[in-house]
Amino acid sequence: MTFRAVDTEAGVPAGTASNYFTNRDDLLPQAGARVYERLQPDEATIARQRAGTRDRETYAVLMRELVGRISDFRTGYLALLELRLEATRRPRLRAVLTEQVRADLEANVAYHEESALPGDATAVQLLYLTLNWLIVEQLTLPDVLSEAERERLVTAAVERLTASLPHSG
């Protein structure tokens, strides 16, 4: 990846990226942060989620919507995977991504606890890990599972990971 390639892909005049970023170590964390911004639900989705019931079915709907939202931004999520691979070679990028992912996971746990959804912090973390790989599978090998199978698996993950747990909070 060169700055020229970034300029071309972004459809901006040559030299634009180098005016804003001194090197790849400056550019890559910013690209990752922008992808995370775009993956966040909009205000209407958040309001609808907060107004919903606090049962396992609602939780499963939220998780299916999450998988759908991320899958709809295929290029962004795949870019994050590329950034994660690049982070194995770039300590500064690894630090930035680690901080971002940790903050995202902590925000998910906090939202879960505030919402009084079924389950606990461990269930949230397990769902995070489970759904991330389901999304990777869907985006990289989309014919392994049908849409119906993916939705059934998301629902089953929520039900099984929260089955014996009371509501949080």
Side-chain angles (χ1 to χ4, degrees), residues 25 33-34 39 44 47 53 69 84 97 117 128 144 157 168:
D25 285 330
R34 179 66 180 130
L39 287 171
T53 58
R69 185 174 63 254
R84 285 176 177 234
L97 288 179
L117 288 162
Y128 169 84
V144 170
S168 63

Side-chain angles (χ1 to χ4, degrees), residues 69-119:
R69 185 174 63 254
I70 292 171
S71 298
D72 288 345
F73 187 34
R74 183 177 193 274
T75 57
Y77 194 80
L78 292 174
L80 280 179
L81 293 178
E82 293 284 350
L83 284 172
R84 285 176 177 234
L85 292 172
E86 188 69 22
T88 65
R89 297 177 290 277
R90 295 180 177 275
R92 183 170 166 225
L93 179 59
R94 182 174 51 245
V96 169
L97 288 179
T98 297
E99 182 180 321
Q100 179 68 51
V101 171
R102 183 178 291 128
D104 187 45
L105 190 51
E106 288 171 359
N108 281 309
V109 169
Y111 174 82
H112 183 87
E113 290 172 347
E114 291 168 11
S115 299
L117 288 162

Side-chain angles (χ1 to χ4, degrees), residues 11-106:
V12 297
T16 301
S18 62
N19 285 334
Y20 289 93
F21 307 102
T22 57
N23 56 40
R24 287 173 63 157
D25 285 330
D26 289 339
L27 172 70
L28 294 175
Q30 294 298 320
R34 179 66 180 130
V35 171
Y36 267 99
E37 287 174 16
R38 291 198 48 202
L39 287 171
Q40 296 304 311
D42 60 28
E43 292 300 321
T45 300
I46 292 170
R48 186 178 42 74
Q49 290 173 351
R50 290 187 189 274
T53 58
R54 305 293 185 239
D55 58 15
R56 282 181 183 80
E57 179 52 35
T58 299
Y59 196 7
V61 168
L62 295 175
M63 294 301 100
R64 289 192 301 265
E65 288 176 353
L66 171 71
V67 170
R69 185 174 63 254
I70 292 171
S71 298
D72 288 345
F73 187 34
R74 183 177 193 274
T75 57
Y77 194 80
L78 292 174
L80 280 179
L81 293 178
E82 293 284 350
L83 284 172
R84 285 176 177 234
L85 292 172
E86 188 69 22
T88 65
R89 297 177 290 277
R90 295 180 177 275
R92 183 170 166 225
L93 179 59
R94 182 174 51 245
V96 169
L97 288 179
T98 297
E99 182 180 321
Q100 179 68 51
V101 171
R102 183 178 291 128
D104 187 45
L105 190 51
E106 288 171 359

Side-chain angles (χ1 to χ4, degrees), residues 1 7-8 22 49-50 52-53 56 59 69-71 84 87 94 102 118 125-126 131 140 143 149-150 153 157-158 161:
M1 180 181 79
D7 291 340
T8 300
T22 57
Q49 290 173 351
R50 290 187 189 274
T53 58
R56 282 181 183 80
Y59 196 7
R69 185 174 63 254
I70 292 171
S71 298
R84 285 176 177 234
R94 182 174 51 245
R102 183 178 291 128
Q125 293 167 332
L126 288 169
L131 296 183
T140 59
D143 298 325
E149 289 172 312
R150 289 188 301 266
L153 288 168
V158 169
L161 289 170

